[in-house]
């Protein structure tokens, strides 16, 4: 059990360091070198514990980013300018975000609600954002990963910090 906790502490430490580097790079942009371009998307903004799945490209190759800590945000570029949305204005949401886009370019986001300790899920369908609590009970929803299956149903893997469990949630339409 101690080894398992040490591993998760090491993962958490690495995530914190990476988050700090991202914050610094956003706060202090540098000139692009070697063909790389950088730009500040939403500076300064309060975000924490972003995962590698918080970035997706739409069909036209434009970036979409999900992030948060104080609230859940979605930023996207339309080819001309950045646009920003507050997806979930609840306090303490938006950590451990995972983002995917459906075939029509609509965003789907899984994320952690640190105020309630819940795994949450948000999606946009052209009529607005819809928010659901997927799992509750304290400490569920860390390190989310999200995919849509061939029928468009979400599948989410995540960590339950309270029990030390890897969990899987899915919607099957029933």
């Amino acid at each position: 059990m101690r080894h398992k906790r040490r591993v998760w502490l090491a993962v958490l430490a690495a995530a914190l360091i990476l988050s700090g580097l991202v914050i610094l790079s956003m706060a202090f942009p540098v000139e692009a070198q070697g063909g790389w371009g950088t730009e500040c998307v939403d500076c300064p903004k309060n975000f924490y514990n972003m995962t590698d799945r918080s970035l997706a490209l739409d069909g036209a190759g434009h970036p979409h980013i999900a992030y948060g800590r104080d609230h859940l945000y979605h930023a996207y570029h339309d080819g001309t300018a950045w646009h920003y949305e507050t997806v979930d204005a609840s306090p303490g949401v938006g950590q451990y975000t995972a983002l995917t886009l459906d075939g029509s370019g609509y965003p789907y986001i899984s994320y952690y609600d640190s105020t309630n300790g819940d795994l949450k899920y948000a999606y946009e369908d052209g009529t607005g954002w819809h928010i659901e609590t997927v799992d509750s009970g304290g400490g569920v929803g860390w390190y989310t990963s999200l995919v849509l299956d061939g029928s468009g149903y979400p599948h989410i893997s995540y960590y339950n910090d309270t029990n030390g469990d890897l969990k899987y949630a899915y919607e099957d339409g029933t």
Side-chain angles (χ1 to χ4, degrees):
M1 184 68 167
R2 286 184 186 194
H3 175 70
K4 187 177 186 181
R5 200 163 273 296
R6 281 189 202 136
V7 168
W8 278 108
L9 287 174
V11 169
L12 180 59
L16 289 172
I17 290 167
L18 180 59
S19 295
L21 292 174
V22 169
I23 290 169
L24 286 174
S25 69
M26 299 291 256
F28 304 103
V30 296
E31 282 191 34
Q33 296 183 25
W36 285 89
T38 62
E39 57 188 278
C40 181
V41 176
D42 192 0
C43 300
K45 186 61 83 175
N46 186 8
F47 60 94
Y48 185 68
N49 287 340
M50 291 177 66
T51 68
D52 60 339
R53 300 294 309 265
S54 56
L55 168 69
L57 299 179
D58 63 23
H62 300 134
H64 291 247
I65 305 170
Y67 55 101
R69 179 179 185 182
D70 54 348
H71 308 297
L72 175 66
Y73 304 101
H74 171 240
Y76 64 96
H77 198 276
D78 65 4
T80 304
W82 284 100
H83 302 271
Y84 312 97
E85 306 176 279
T86 300
V87 176
D88 187 341
S90 301
V93 299
Q95 295 179 47
Y96 304 113
T97 60
L99 168 71
T100 191
L101 305 174
D102 69 11
S104 298
Y106 290 117
Y108 295 73
I109 306 169
S110 59
Y111 58 101
Y112 181 60
D113 174 348
S114 66
T115 301
N116 298 302
D118 297 340
L119 170 66
K120 293 182 82 174
Y121 167 70
Y123 65 96
E124 205 273 320
D125 63 1
T127 66
W129 283 98
H130 307 274
I131 300 169
E132 302 174 10
T133 298
V134 176
D135 195 357
S136 60
V140 296
W142 289 29
Y143 311 111
T144 68
S145 183
L146 168 69
V147 297
L148 301 178
D149 65 21
S151 298
Y153 292 116
H155 296 254
I156 305 169
S157 68
Y158 56 102
Y159 178 66
N160 177 336
D161 184 59
T162 302
N163 299 327
D165 297 331
L166 174 64
K167 297 186 82 175
Y168 169 68
Y170 62 95
E171 186 176 13
D172 61 8
T174 59

